[in-house]
Amino acid sequence: MTDLITEQATAAASGAAATEQFRSKQRTENTSADTERVDTLVSELLAATHDIVRRHKVTYAEYDALKAWLIQVGEDGEWPLFLDVWIEHAVEEVAGESRKGSKGTIEGPYYIPGSPRFAAEASLPTRDGEQGTPLLFQGQVRAVDGTPLSGAVVEMWHADNDGLYSQFAPGLPEWNLRGTVVADARGNFKIHTIEPAPYQIPTDGSCGKLIEAAGWHAWRPAHLHLKVAAPGHQLITTQLYFQGGEHVGDDIATAVKPELILAPTPVADGQGREVTYDFVLDKA
Ligand code: DHB
Ligand code: FE
């Protein structure tokens, strides 16, 4: 049974789900295409590529290998994974550069809007006997001037103890380890969950092939994904990591920032660990 589940968690399956999820999000958002901007960005991207070809004397064999690989990324549905691992961190850096509040980082390909809503103290949905160290994640949502934000909403989603995300790997309940917690009138929230395992980029697809060919590793450190919002304030999309965890220092997605590393402590009179982390939101 376990073997069957592991076997079915393929790059093609999670890639197809991530591609479909992105398409459904894209349909509801406007994308503007300013001719001058497209001209500038695409021309510079092409010029940078030509420069690499000339400097490294790229051969026809290498050019054909690239062509075959690019075709395969599309067939595997792995464009969302590729872009979010190797490009998104730079886009996020630019997007967040003038913010004074809490740091954000990449969203990644596995966010699903509309997770079940809970009151200010909640447990994320889990299976009976969900594996992993219990974690109490609590804090307060405030404005930059320190005012507690009533009406704040904390959405959390993360991988399970096998590094798998619900709705992108088979055999997991639909909303496993995904929830939307409405903070109390003072912006306080308490979320009970389990600590996720490190996440490995699927090794059996085209991104896995690239990683192997380049002699890289395929790992992201264990992380909690969050979106934190409050009326009149800028939403932040972020991730939190665990001090001393594997790959905190060499995340393949380059999404770790020092401000995003948690140091949970053992729960005094219970099981597992707990940590307090406050979010500070900039005005909209
Ligand atoms: C990818 C997966 C993640 O869980 C994440 O947070 C970022 C990127 C990926 O496979 O592209
Ligand atoms: Fe992730």
Side-chain angles (χ1 to χ4, degrees), residues 58-271:
V58 171
T59 65
Y60 262 102
E62 288 167 334
Y63 175 67
D64 283 349
L66 172 67
K67 225 181 203 178
W69 182 80
L70 289 170
I71 291 167
Q72 196 60 45
V73 176
E75 284 180 1
D76 292 346
E78 283 205 324
W79 280 119
L81 281 71
F82 174 84
L83 291 162
D84 295 350
V85 165
W86 285 296
I87 311 281
E88 188 187 355
H89 67 89
V91 179
E92 191 283 326
E93 194 183 300
V94 172
E97 108 197 316
S98 62
R99 233 189 258 134
K100 295 192 170 51
S102 301
K103 293 283 181 206
T105 191
I106 68 170
E107 176 172 317
Y110 299 143
Y111 171 64
I112 310 257
S115 63
R117 270 176 103 82
F118 301 101
E121 176 160 8
S123 298
L124 294 190
T126 52
R127 291 160 285 182
D128 286 345
E130 187 78 37
Q131 297 298 297
T133 305
L135 177 70
L136 169 58
F137 177 79
Q138 60 191 338
Q140 186 181 39
V141 185
R142 293 190 297 268
V144 171
D145 69 3
T147 314
L149 292 176
S150 91
V153 171
V154 179
E155 273 183 276
M156 183 185 272
W157 71 102
H158 64 82
D160 67 9
N161 191 53
D162 295 319
L164 300 175
Y165 286 86
S166 58
Q167 301 192 41
F168 296 92
L172 293 164
E174 189 178 20
W175 295 105
N176 211 55
L177 302 172
R178 295 176 184 270
T180 301
V181 176
V182 182
D184 69 16
R186 294 198 44 83
N188 290 307
F189 61 86
K190 275 187 184 197
I191 304 174
H192 299 267
T193 186
I194 54 106
E195 292 185 24
Y199 168 84
Q200 188 180 28
I201 307 296
T203 52
D204 63 321
S206 35
C207 291
K209 252 194 189 154
L210 169 65
I211 289 165
E212 196 188 325
W216 301 338
H217 73 75
W219 292 92
R220 300 214 57 223
H223 56 279
L224 303 169
H225 287 272
L226 295 126
K227 280 184 185 279
V228 182
H233 290 76
Q234 291 180 35
L235 176 147
I236 61 170
T237 299
T238 193
Q239 298 185 22
L240 296 170
Y241 307 91
F242 297 88
Q243 194 173 75
E246 273 184 86
H247 300 297
V248 169
D250 65 346
D251 176 15
I252 191 171
T254 326
V256 178
K257 301 178 186 183
E259 299 87 345
L260 302 179
I261 300 173
L262 301 172
T265 53
V267 172
D269 52 357
Q271 280 193 332

Side-chain angles (χ1 to χ4, degrees), residues 11-81:
S14 66
T19 298
E20 193 38 52
Q21 173 54 32
F22 177 74
R23 283 200 179 118
S24 69
K25 176 175 90 167
Q26 193 62 9
R27 273 193 284 271
T28 62
E29 286 174 11
N30 285 330
T31 25
S32 62
D34 177 76
T35 306
E36 211 176 308
R37 182 93 173 144
V38 174
D39 176 27
T40 304
L41 298 182
V42 178
S43 297
E44 287 199 25
L45 177 66
L46 293 173
T49 308
H50 304 151
D51 182 53
I52 293 166
V53 170
R54 291 184 187 112
R55 276 195 293 122
H56 297 279
K57 304 212 179 294
V58 171
T59 65
Y60 262 102
E62 288 167 334
Y63 175 67
D64 283 349
L66 172 67
K67 225 181 203 178
W69 182 80
L70 289 170
I71 291 167
Q72 196 60 45
V73 176
E75 284 180 1
D76 292 346
E78 283 205 324
W79 280 119
L81 281 71

